[in-house]
Amino acid sequence: MHHLGAWAELLRLPALCTVPGDALAGAAALTARPNHRTLLAIASSVCLYEAGMALNDWADRREDAAERPHRPLPSGRVRPAAAFTAACAFTAAGLGLAARAGRPALAVAAPLAATVWSYDLVLKRTPVGPSAMAAARGLDLLLGAAATAGHVRPALPSAALLSSHTLAVTTVSRQETRDGTPAAPLAALATSGALTWLLSRRPPHRRPSSRRDPRLPALLTTALSVAYAATTARPYVHAALNPSPPLTQRAVGAGIRATIPLQAALAARSTATTSALLTVALAPVVRRLARRVSVT
């Protein structure tokens, strides 16, 4: 059990629940009904996400030895070679699952995998690091669209909104281990406000259904947008008032958890109410798992 706990910590098990919503939101931008290829896209996304988690700790093992000696690799609970092997295996599995979903899905998964590896090995410590992470999250949403319907153009606006959120959270995370400045959490707070406003605007046109109340998607979108803003607002304000490592880490954790209501709002905005409800149902799972395993 101790060994399994170390791997759960290495792979950021609670954060894994933020992955399925990417593909569901991408599929929702093109069709209200996910299909079996959408499930393959979700599985591919999960594998590529976990590849990034394992590779991240492998690349940061020397830095973590000084700043986070309790992490699985510097503490000796997981061997560096095992983490690197897991990253390779997850990447291969992710690309294989995308290939089964079709050529359009693989055409998105390949640059997604390249972005993940480039971020962890090279770009993370450069000024373009947050942008690379944002690009990866946007590509993950487009993977769901490509797998479901074979094209991605209608999903680009949703990918842009999700990428903007990820950019803000990743920028805040760069000062998790040191005293920072209020600029990053204030920018993240402004981003959350802007995204909430954009989500509340008139949703994309969809063919009306006689079986559903046309007001339901709009009401659900509004509720999920409010939930997204509420999840991030207070932690961002606290981190701006006192940009210390503990409060910054709390803000980053809130930003990661807020990905779920954001994904759900994007799906609801496209009138995919079932996908939205399935996505937001993962939120309490994240909260429960986060009590045992850190999401950052």
Side-chain angles (χ1 to χ4, degrees):
M1 293 298 294
H2 179 73
H3 185 66
L4 291 176
W7 276 98
E9 185 179 348
L10 175 74
L11 298 175
R12 274 68 159 198
L13 191 59
L16 185 61
C17 295
T18 69
V19 177
D22 288 347
L24 291 174
L30 285 91
T31 175
R33 290 185 178 182
N35 53 39
H36 71 282
R37 290 187 299 274
T38 312
L39 297 178
L40 288 171
I42 291 174
S44 174
S45 296
V46 166
C47 289
L48 294 176
Y49 188 88
E50 293 295 39
M53 294 297 100
L55 188 63
N56 176 79
D57 275 28
W58 181 84
D60 286 354
R61 62 193 185 281
R62 293 183 179 86
E63 179 181 328
D64 284 346
E67 297 180 349
R68 297 178 176 181
H70 61 279
R71 292 292 302 160
L73 267 64
S75 66
R77 289 176 292 148
V78 176
R79 294 183 296 109
F84 186 78
T85 300
C88 294
F90 275 126
T91 301
L95 293 174
L97 288 164
R100 291 199 61 184
R103 289 184 180 179
L106 182 59
V108 176
L112 172 57
T115 302
V116 168
W117 279 72
S118 297
Y119 173 82
D120 283 332
L121 298 181
V122 179
L123 301 177
K124 180 165 48 181
R125 296 175 180 82
T126 71
V128 300
S131 297
M133 179 64 80
R137 193 56 102 154
L139 285 169
D140 202 34
L141 186 146
L142 295 179
L143 176 58
T148 302
H151 56 103
V152 301
R153 181 171 295 181
L156 290 175
S158 293
L161 294 179
L162 184 60
S163 294
S164 297
H165 168 73
T166 305
L167 176 64
V169 176
T170 307
T171 302
V172 174
S173 73
R174 290 167 76 90
Q175 54 189 46
E176 274 188 294
T177 59
R178 55 181 173 80
D179 289 334
T181 66
L186 284 175
L189 183 64
T191 299
S192 294
L195 292 178
T196 301
W197 177 77
L198 288 170
L199 287 168
S200 65
R201 296 178 65 191
R202 185 176 180 179
H205 174 74
R206 284 290 183 272
R207 185 182 303 173
S209 173
S210 60
R211 296 181 181 179
R212 296 179 181 176
D213 185 340
R215 296 171 298 179
L216 179 59
L219 292 173
L220 184 58
T221 301
T222 299
L224 291 168
S225 301
V226 170
Y228 164 68
T231 302
T232 58
R234 182 177 293 181
Y236 284 164
V237 169
H238 288 172
L241 294 174
N242 180 12
S244 60
L247 291 181
T248 299
Q249 290 168 15
R250 191 174 301 171
V252 173
I256 293 173
R257 293 193 303 273
T259 303
I260 290 179
L262 175 57
Q263 295 162 334
L266 290 171
R269 187 170 179 262
S270 298
T271 71
T273 54
T274 300
S275 292
L277 293 173
L278 287 173
T279 299
V280 80
L282 293 170
V285 180
V286 173
R287 286 196 297 269
R288 175 170 292 187
L289 290 175
R291 295 170 187 164
R292 299 183 179 183
V293 181
S294 173
V295 298
T296 65

